[in-house]
Structure formats: C-alpha cells, structure tokens
Amino acid sequence: MRNIDGLSHVTGKSVYVDDLLEIDGTLYSVILTSPVAHGRIASISSDINHPDLVTILTAEDIPGENQIGGIIPDEELLASKELHYFGQPIAIVVARTLDSAYEIRDMISVEVEELNPVFDPREAYEKGKIIGSERQFELGDMVNAWRECDHIVEGKVEIGGQEHLYIETQGAYALPTENGYKVISSTQGPTSVQKIAARILGLPMHRVEVDVRRLGGGFGGKEDQATPIACMAILATHTTRRPVKLVLDRHDDLKITGKRHPYSADYKIGMRGNKIHAYDVRFFQNAGSAADLSPAVLERTLFHATNSYYIPNVRAWAVSCRTNLPPNTAFRGFGGPQGMIVIESAIDHIANELGVAPSKVQRDNLIGDGDEFPYGQCAAGVTLVKAWEQVEKDTVEVIREIKDYNATHTFSKKGYAFMPITFGISFTNTSMNQASALVNVYIDGSIGISTGAVEMGQGVNTRILQVVTNFFGLPERYGKVETTNTTRAINTSPSAASSTHDLNGKAALDACKKIRERLEAFLSERGFSDVRFTEGKAVSLDGKSMSWEELISAAYLARVDLAAHGFYSTPQIHFDKEREKGHPFAYHTYGVALITSTVDCLRGISRVENVFVCHDSGKLLNSNLDIGQIEGGVVQGLGWMLLEDLVFDDKGINRSGSLSTYKVPDIDFAPRTFVTKFLEVPANKLGLKGSKAIGEPPLMYAIAGYFSVRDAMNKFRTLRRGDYTIPMTNERIFMELYA
Ligand code: LUZ
Ligand code: MOS
C-alpha cells in the first residue's frame, strides 16, 4: 500500500499548523529569548508603544506552575530570574500581526547580569553539575578480564550534536473554548502537551484538548520540545481570550530548541585471540541546561554500548552533564547511536593496531541467540550473520574495485566499512509501552480510526489504515485515520522509540476485534457460522454472505455497538534500575550495512558512493514505507557523520543557527547507489502483524559512512589512533590528513 499522504504532500494539500484556516481575531506571537548563556535577569523594559501590541507575557503571568520538566522538574516555561542558555525563552510577545510581533520584540531591552557559563561536559562533571545519577552496566569479571587479554588499546571519542531540521518548524495554534482550551500542535506527544499545559494554567487536564493532524517531521525534536511552544500559545490565549498562533521561524527554532546530545567518551578494549574479551567505556553526555529527556537518552546509550557484539566482560558507565547550551533532547536513535559509535571506534582502533580489517573483528564477534547483553536480556532471533553474509555477497565486486582503485590512485582513495545494528525496541521506561485506540464504524460502513499515533512522515497512518481495513476484509477507502486527539485517544505515549505502529496498530486491532466479535454474535443469530470478513463481505462457512454495508446497517438497526476502544501494552518487559538488569526490550531490530566512499586527499573532500543494506524487518508489512525509512534514516545519519557541524562560540551563541552556516544533506550529497534487501524471516510475534519497528534503527547504518571515510583516509596516510571525532567534515578531513 502506498503512503496515503503522498499525493497531498506533492500537491501541497497536506495541512500543517501554519496552513490552518485562521479564525478572525487571531493574534500572533513570537518569543523573546535570553541574550546570554548564563546570567540573571536584572530588568525587562516592556514599556512599549506600538499600535499592534496586545500584551507581553513573562513568568509572572503564569497562573499555574512555571515548570515544564518531564522527567525532572528543572525547567521553567519562561525564565523568571536565572538564565541558563542563549536562546532560552523569557517572554511572549502577542500582537495583531506577525510582523508587528517581531518589531515589538526588537524594541524590548533585557538587562542581565552575566555569570560564567560551562559548555564542556567533562568540565561540568568536575564541577558537580550533573543531571540524575551516574549509571553503570556491568557484565562478567572486569577485575581479571584485562589480564586475560592479548591486546589492549585505549582511546577517546568526541561526538557532535545534530539539528533535527524537521521541515515544519515548531508551532501551535491555541483556541479558547467555552470551558477551557483547544490547541492544534505540531507535537509527537499530545498527552505531554495536555499535561504540561494543564500544569501551567493550573487546570485539570480535561480542560485542555490537544489535536494533531500531522507533523512536517519530528525526529525526536517534537517528543518533548513541542510542549513549551504549545503551552506558550495557550498561555497567550488564556490571557487574551483570543486564538493565538505561535509558529517559530527557522532562526528562532534553531536558536531555542535542543538538539541531539554531543558526547565525549573514553574507551578501553581488549582482545583475546579473535574475540573481544573486555570493554570499558565512559560516556559524558552533554545534556545542555535542563534534563528534558536526557536521563532516558543516557540510559539508551548504555543499552547500546556493545551494539551487535557479544562481549563477556563489560563495564559501561555514563553521566549526564548540565551545561549552558539549549536542553538537548530526543533525536532518532535516542542515545543509541552514540553508544554504538564508541564501540565501533574501539574496534576500528584495535583492528588497525593488529593490522586486520575492522570488519573481521566485527564479524568474529557478532552476538548470537542466548548471548547476554550487559543489561541482562539475552539476544533472541538474531539474524546478523545472515544479513552480514548477504551484504558480503552483494559487495564482493565493489570491494575488489576499491582495492584496484587504491592501487592505481595516489591522491584519491576509496574506503569502506560494515555496520551491523542491533536496536532495542520498546520505550526503556516500561510504563510508556502502552497505547489506546477508538474505532468507529458509521452506519454506511465507513470507519473512523483514532489512535495515539502521530503521523510525522513515517507513514504510521498508512500502516494503521492498512491493518484495520485488512482486518475487516475491506479496501482501504473504507477507512479514515482521524487526527490524533486527546479526547479520543487518551494518556498517549509520544510517537517515539520506533514503537508507534507496534503499539497503536495493536491497540487499533484490539478495538477491531471487539467490533468483530459483536458482529459475529449478531450474524450467528442469523444463521452465520465461522464468519470470515473478506472482499467487502461477511461470509459464513456454508457460503452464506452479506455485504459489509448491509451487515453494518442491519447491525445498527439491531442496536449493536459499532464503536470500540482498544488497548495494548507490551507484555514481558521489565527493568530493575537498582540492579541495572532486566528485559527492557520486546525485541531487537537487526541488520547490516556496507558503505563505501571516495576521499579526495589533496582537497579534503569526501563523497559517499554506495550503500548496501540487508535488513530484518520481520515479516514485511509495507516495504514502501520501510524502504523510505531506511533510505531517509541513512541519509540523515550520514549528514550527522560527515556534514553537520554545530558551532557554539565561547559565549554559547549558536554560530551555526541558520541554513547558510549549518549544512544538511541534499540530493547531491545522497549516495549514488542505495541497495536495500530484506531478510526472509519468521513473523515477529511482538511486532505489528509480524513486522518489526523501522523508524530509528536504519539511521545507525550511517555510522559506516564515517568509518568508510576514515578507511579511505587511512589509505592515504595513517591516521592518529585512538582519537575519533564526529563529524568528519571536509575541513576535518583536511586537518586530520595534514595538521
Ligand atoms: N523516547 C523515550 C524514546 O521517551 N524513551 C525511549 O526509550 C525512546 N527511545 C527511542 C526514542 N525515543
Ligand atoms: Mo524519538 S528519538 O523516537 O522521538
């Protein structure tokens, strides 16, 4: 089935927050932000004369609690006194036109007392500025392990952050209702908006209705950070009793919002024969100025610290460090990629030291069924070897060409790298693994489907429509996926953790089953037995049949309930944070990629050439959507690995806060060849219709892009070992080859 949004996207008919028809009297707002990375507000001059000014709202105008922290209450909606990062919201300017709102913002002056900022996570750690507590996962016997190794190396990895760069910036449109508020928000987490808005206003949650049609991209950037934007719009509506729109322009979005977490890490790895015998890793996460989702991201880093490898002796330690940068947040992979990058660096390092191909060390140490991850869960249904062999088979020729090329070229070199991925599927916070749905069958047989899933381009609405209409044996035109709305699907987890279609699809099917049972009972009274729903009909074992339309209209007249609520919660998962052991994931998504690239070693220019992927998507549910997620995820990851360079100056000002200074992938950057194959595997019982989660895992294939460029560089000149920095921009290639 094709993505149901495709046509409206390419014809410009898809509606985003900024496209909504505006109600007369709508007001426009912009956010006034901190001019310093660390300081105290001395005064705000808001004595402004402007014909279009409606109001300027500060912390004092918040009727409820000025607190938006989800995991830890450490973040104000509007700064009351202390300023913790350049770009932190201080006030909301509400005006009759958007242009006037910007003009008024420029007229406000904020006096601040500056304080010393900290930007480096290790420095923050030394000063005791940490968020939550230090975490450590352990496996085996780290005391004796090192003695048993033949070779040991140590090194350091610096990993940069990444902008989400959703095409639709953060935004919300808030409306006053008779007894509360409705907000249309570009959020991955409607319930989070509802909960925090209620807290800000001092109201019960039922007074706030959140509605989401779709997002122009989220990537994690709207899991938590759409919430304050929606809350500011609602606060302005609360004060003015008028509809208020708050849609950030790109510069404000880049300035105000958090990004993927940069990490600094130390590793030590030991080999015994061809096996990785011991691994010790320390992660310093740069959380920015508030907790946001950082503790959960940190945890996922630890869960992925050994990626796809079985290592019998492991110590993985991590800490979240508070710095004066925007609060970093969820981003596709959610800390997992950073965990994987460090073990891949350690493997690259020790392989180069031993003079063997990194791919040999990777291949010799792939995890297998029954092997234990450092967090206690055992690997199951592992398909890594199959995927590896497929990729190896498909790339024999490509690798030979690389060797020939390197033998005949001096200043241009080619490189390649493999990347196996093992990504845990489930929110690591067990209680979040739940979803609800509401399925309504109307008298004419058409079906309205509501779930907690938010469509953000990933195609979740397509998948849900596909499984629901298939369930009743109907063509897709019978179903319609409604907006995600907190009055129809309640207490939703954000659309995140690659789990949206598993959780919400299963909740929708649960509702469908209830309706089917009622229809079956109704039909059995009319002499139908063992009914199947197929080709638009209900068919009895003895061949009696009734069209769907007839059935529904008869069932309605017989007063059968044609609406059902559905619910799903992932079985079997648990995690004990005291012991740091458990079974946090329903299952893992596996796969292997090989990426090749060419580096012009005179000029320092890289180009990714080929991507070969062999992916375990369980029993394929929709290969169109899966391929879209794989190709998009890899290109997004390659941008992080090779292009996207976040630069904050020594005042903490984002110097890469525009699209002229922050380079993202474009079509020319995309790999020349992209081959995706899916493994033939048995149905995955814990996935939707036997499939596997697809949203985040493929991004991590892109880590091979970084190592393929390093491999090419190493063919020109041996790089310093034990020193890995991401992104490998063209400037960095040049510096590493010649500095
Ligand atoms: N969000 C979250 C996530 O709250 N918990 C998770 O475990 C997670 N994992 C991936 C992406 N978002
Ligand atoms: Mo996410 S990083 O699954 O919002």
Side-chain angles (χ1 to χ4, degrees):
M1 181 168 161
R2 285 198 298 190
N3 190 327
I4 53 172
D5 273 356
L7 189 65
S8 63
H9 282 358
V10 297
T11 53
K13 287 181 185 149
S14 298
V15 174
Y16 300 88
V17 170
D18 206 26
D19 303 322
L20 292 165
L21 277 181
E22 286 166 19
I23 293 172
D24 266 359
T26 292
L27 302 173
Y28 301 86
S29 54
V30 298
I31 305 171
L32 174 77
T33 62
S34 169
V36 297
H38 195 196
R40 272 190 213 100
I41 301 173
S43 68
I44 304 174
S45 76
S46 49
D47 194 8
I48 282 156
N49 237 324
H50 192 291
D52 284 340
L53 173 62
V54 178
T55 184
I56 297 168
L57 302 171
T58 63
E60 287 170 17
D61 298 299
I62 293 173
E65 209 187 323
N66 182 15
Q67 181 51 248
I68 62 169
I71 299 178
I72 297 171
D74 69 346
E75 189 176 3
E76 293 181 324
L77 179 69
L78 296 170
S80 57
K81 268 199 291 295
E82 273 223 44
L83 298 169
H84 302 286
Y85 74 97
F86 173 82
Q88 181 181 358
I90 296 177
I92 310 161
V93 177
V94 188
R96 285 182 190 88
T97 73
L98 184 58
D99 285 347
S100 298
Y102 284 114
E103 273 170 33
I104 295 161
R105 181 171 73 175
D106 287 343
M107 295 161 77
I108 304 173
S109 65
V110 182
E111 299 296 324
V112 299
E113 228 177 277
E114 280 198 66
L115 299 167
N116 279 339
V118 177
F119 305 117
D120 178 69
R122 293 184 194 246
E123 185 188 337
Y125 176 67
E126 268 148 35
K127 294 187 164 145
K129 293 173 185 288
I130 70 168
I131 294 171
S133 49
E134 298 171 30
R135 303 279 299 266
Q136 186 161 298
F137 288 12
E138 281 175 286
L139 183 69
D141 172 7
M142 288 304 279
V143 180
N144 292 307
W146 299 114
R147 269 197 288 107
E148 295 156 3
C149 295
D150 317 323
H151 294 279
I152 298 169
V153 298
E154 288 178 59
K156 197 170 166 203
V157 185
E158 294 293 336
I159 304 168
Q162 185 180 24
E163 290 288 357
H164 300 86
L165 246 298
Y166 24 67
I167 293 180
E168 180 194 24
T169 54
Q170 303 274 5
Y173 185 41
L175 310 164
T177 59
E178 189 176 291
N179 51 21
Y181 302 91
K182 174 169 178 174
V183 63
I184 297 150
S185 165
S186 182
T187 180
Q188 292 173 241
T191 293
S192 148
V193 169
Q194 183 191 24
K195 182 172 117 190
I196 306 293
R199 188 198 283 171
I200 294 288
L201 297 175
L203 291 176
M205 281 170 73
H206 69 225
R207 296 295 181 100
V208 181
E209 174 187 348
V210 183
D211 192 82
V212 186
R213 171 74 271 176
R214 65 162 67 70
L215 277 50
F219 310 114
K222 297 170 183 172
E223 180 174 339
D224 233 31
Q225 299 206 355
T227 297
I229 304 302
C231 288
M232 287 184 226
I234 296 183
L235 178 64
T237 290
H238 169 81
T239 309
T240 62
R241 302 307 304 167
R242 299 269 289 274
V244 175
K245 194 164 174 178
L246 174 56
V247 174
L248 302 192
D249 69 23
R250 182 64 68 184
H251 290 143
D252 279 351
D253 188 297
L254 295 176
K255 188 202 292 188
I256 293 169
T257 64
K259 301 143 205 335
R260 189 191 287 286
H261 293 78
Y263 275 67
S264 180
D266 300 314
Y267 64 81
K268 181 174 173 186
I269 190 168
M271 303 267 302
R272 185 181 189 190
N274 65 345
K275 295 290 183 195
I276 304 171
H277 190 62
Y279 181 55
D280 193 345
V281 60
R282 289 167 66 81
F283 296 101
F284 297 87
Q285 179 198 55
N286 191 336
S289 66
D292 191 277
L293 292 163
S294 298
V297 171
L298 190 80
E299 189 174 53
R300 193 171 274 278
T301 299
L302 289 174
F303 284 123
H304 293 81
T306 54
N307 185 16
S308 302
Y309 310 107
Y310 174 63
I311 308 177
N313 303 290
V314 177
R315 188 175 66 181
W317 173 94
V319 66
S320 179
C321 310
R322 198 187 291 277
T323 61
N324 296 102
L325 293 174
N328 290 318
T329 191
F331 196 138
R332 203 175 196 174
F334 205 76
Q338 291 94 326
M340 292 186 187
I341 286 166
V342 180
I343 181 71
E344 294 301 329
S345 299
I347 289 174
D348 181 82
H349 183 179
I350 201 154
N352 277 300
E353 198 73 29
L354 296 173
V356 302
S359 58
K360 172 146 180 20
V361 179
Q362 290 173 305
R363 173 70 182 79
D364 287 346
N365 288 278
L366 291 176
I367 199 162
D369 281 1
D371 290 339
E372 189 178 343
F373 291 103
Y375 49 90
Q377 186 164 342
C378 289
V382 185
T383 48
L384 290 165
V385 171
K386 267 167 90 178
W388 187 285
E389 285 171 354
Q390 183 67 50
V391 169
E392 211 167 42
K393 207 168 96 200
D394 292 344
T395 56
V396 171
E397 202 50 42
V398 173
I399 290 175
R400 192 179 14 249
E401 278 168 20
I402 289 175
K403 289 189 176 144
D404 291 348
Y405 185 93
N406 287 339
T408 53
H409 291 72
T410 310
F411 296 112
S412 173
K413 294 290 184 186
K414 288 187 189 284
Y416 69 92
F418 280 84
M419 180 69 195
I421 57 154
T422 297
F423 195 75
I425 304 301
S426 290
F427 286 94
T428 59
N429 178 351
T430 301
S431 66
M432 290 170 81
N433 296 285
Q434 56 172 307
S436 70
L438 177 65
V439 174
N440 295 330
V441 181
Y442 295 98
I443 299 169
D444 66 354
S446 63
I447 306 171
I449 309 154
S450 297
T451 73
V454 169
E455 175 61 52
M456 50 186 140
Q458 85 281 45
V460 69
N461 284 357
T462 302
R463 276 183 220 266
I464 287 175
L465 183 61
Q466 184 182 348
V467 298
V468 168
T469 52
N470 279 351
F471 183 87
F472 291 116
L474 297 168
E476 63 195 69
R477 67 170 189 280
Y478 279 74
K480 171 174 170 247
V481 181
E482 307 287 359
T483 60
T484 313
N485 185 293
T486 51
T487 67
R488 280 180 267 110
I490 71 154
N491 305 340
T492 63
S493 291
S495 285
S498 306
S499 302
T500 314
H501 73 251
D502 276 0
L503 298 174
N504 292 279
K506 285 179 177 241
L509 285 177
D510 181 52
C512 292
K513 279 180 197 135
K514 291 179 185 166
I515 294 173
R516 187 175 66 186
E517 279 163 19
R518 294 178 206 146
L519 291 173
E520 281 168 352
F522 169 75
L523 283 166
S524 83
E525 287 166 21
R526 277 151 193 77
F528 280 60
S529 59
D530 293 305
V531 178
R532 281 180 308 126
F533 289 86
T534 176
E535 291 174 14
K537 294 190 289 279
V539 184
S540 158
L541 194 60
D542 57 11
K544 263 203 291 295
S545 94
M546 194 190 282
S547 78
W548 174 256
E549 280 85 352
E550 269 180 278
L551 167 62
I552 296 304
S553 106
Y556 165 73
L557 292 174
R559 294 182 289 176
V560 174
D561 180 1
L562 294 173
H565 164 79
F567 184 77
Y568 180 73
S569 67
T570 312
Q572 295 160 15
I573 49 173
H574 55 88
F575 192 71
D576 177 349
K577 282 196 190 186
E578 293 299 313
R579 294 175 47 244
E580 301 285 28
K581 296 282 181 200
H583 187 101
F585 300 119
Y587 58 90
H588 289 85
T589 290
Y590 305 105
V592 173
L594 180 131
I595 299 184
T596 76
S597 56
T598 307
V599 177
D600 173 342
C601 299
L602 263 188
R603 295 168 189 83
I605 297 170
S606 76
R607 138 118 258 142
V608 174
E609 307 279 1
N610 305 297
V611 177
F612 292 87
V613 168
C614 184
H615 190 81
D616 173 359
S617 227
K619 189 162 158 283
L620 271 185
L621 178 59
N622 189 319
S623 59
N624 283 334
L625 295 177
D626 284 7
I627 287 172
Q629 289 297 300
I630 291 170
E631 293 181 352
V634 169
V635 173
Q636 183 171 46
L638 287 170
W640 178 35
M641 292 295 104
L642 301 172
L643 280 183
E644 301 179 39
D645 204 1
L646 275 171
V647 178
F648 289 90
D649 67 14
D650 59 6
K651 290 276 189 195
I653 298 174
N654 184 348
R655 293 297 179 194
S656 48
S658 81
L659 291 179
S660 60
T661 51
Y662 186 79
K663 183 83 180 96
V664 290
D666 56 18
I667 194 64
D668 178 61
F669 170 83
R672 288 292 177 261
T673 314
F674 203 123
V675 180
T676 297
K677 291 193 175 167
F678 293 101
L679 282 176
E680 289 267 343
V681 290
N684 167 38
K685 292 209 179 56
L686 290 163
L688 182 59
K689 303 287 282 177
S691 70
K692 280 194 171 187
I694 187 77
E696 298 172 288
L699 179 126
M700 283 150 269
Y701 290 136
I703 294 168
Y706 171 79
F707 287 100
S708 76
V709 167
R710 280 189 66 104
D711 184 46
M713 291 165 69
N714 259 318
K715 294 290 183 298
F716 180 75
R717 177 182 165 178
T718 304
L719 297 172
R720 268 193 314 276
R721 294 202 181 124
D723 178 5
Y724 295 83
T725 301
I726 282 163
M728 186 63 89
T729 56
N730 286 345
E731 291 83 351
R732 180 165 292 281
I733 291 174
F734 197 75
M735 298 302 279
E736 293 214 3
L737 288 177
Y738 296 101

